[in-house]
Amino acid sequence: MQVNVFRKGFNYSQDGPGNRLVYHLQGCNMRCAWCSNPEGMARKGTLLVDADGLRKSACPHGAIAGKVIDRERCALCTTRECLTINRNQSIRWSSSPCDVEALVAEAKRSVPLYFDGGGVTLSGGEVTVQFAATKQLLQRLKEEGIHTTIETNGAHRRLGELFPLVDCLIVDFKHHDDARLREATGVGIALIQRNLRKALAEHPNVLIRIPLIGGFNDAPADAERFAAFFEPLNTSRVRFEFLSYHEYGKDKWAQCGLPYRMERMKSAFVGDATVAQFKSVFEAAGLHVIHT
């Protein structure tokens, strides 16, 4: 079985405990305007273009004019000479198919680098979009005794099947309100809440991350409502972390030919005072807040 991967590399403590080999899997079921990995959204991948380096000669079908590429024409192209015959650094496909066993072999070779409790993390995109391949890869990693982590938005009906295969479960919880979440991501909240309840009841190591976006979920009332959802649940083995909005992925939206809609949102950035307020509300509710 193959896994479609758009990025891989090592990271320390940000994607699970210790030093970790992180595979970013292609495809996502959400469309968050603040996403820092927009190249990972399209399920089959997307064309990444560096406009400054474009050359008309890369496309024999006339899709390139100056520093502009006609993506509608590209979508109809079946030969993709720009990626094969006329390859250049200004145009590339976001992802590549990788055999599960090849990734497992790479993970095994990297064992000496998994210090401080490290291992392999599957991130995205959204790992559950490639559910069958993700499950097989996790099974093989566990068979090899490698510590596993996944980062997920929690919106897959079969997410619970992965719990026994995951040593550390990281879930993004983006909003407490169904209408606001659906408007921003295209996905409703019911299944996410159900999976969160199941995770808190069954999984021994859960980290829930809340991305704080100014004007979307950063008001004092939002902090109270987030905490109110978790307060009656068993959170003794759960940690919470708040991630402030950033623009690290802004340039990649243009490379994907997508508009960066966050520029329309005023004051999307949140300050330290907002993060401190959320932390105070959560700790008052008996919820354990960390910062990685």
Side-chain angles (χ1 to χ4, degrees), residues 108-231:
K108 288 173 64 178
R109 292 194 302 270
S110 303
V111 165
L113 300 175
Y114 302 151
F115 52 84
D116 294 343
V120 172
T121 295
L122 304 185
S123 187
E126 167 54 40
V127 297
T128 58
V129 168
Q130 299 184 59
F131 188 86
T134 292
K135 186 173 182 180
Q136 185 181 82
L137 178 54
L138 289 170
Q139 287 173 329
R140 288 291 293 113
L141 292 170
K142 292 299 292 179
E143 289 170 4
E144 298 296 339
I146 296 173
H147 187 282
T148 58
T149 294
I150 66 170
E151 296 178 306
T152 176
N153 58 35
H156 195 284
R157 61 184 179 82
R158 296 174 60 189
L159 180 62
E161 294 180 28
L162 303 182
F163 290 173
L165 305 174
V166 176
D167 295 303
C168 177
L169 175 66
I170 301 177
V171 184
D172 264 16
F173 190 34
K174 305 174 192 299
H175 211 288
H176 53 78
D177 180 79
D178 180 72
R180 294 299 306 278
L181 181 68
R182 193 179 296 274
E183 179 184 17
T185 71
V187 175
I189 202 171
L191 180 56
I192 298 171
Q193 289 180 327
R194 189 171 76 199
N195 282 331
L196 283 170
R197 292 188 182 98
K198 183 177 179 65
L200 269 57
E202 299 179 6
H203 202 282
N205 187 5
V206 181
L207 171 61
I208 295 172
R209 286 176 166 166
I210 298 175
L212 295 179
I213 315 296
F216 173 64
N217 64 358
D218 67 323
D222 292 316
E224 297 287 349
R225 292 194 62 184
F226 272 120
F229 171 75
F230 292 106
E231 193 171 7

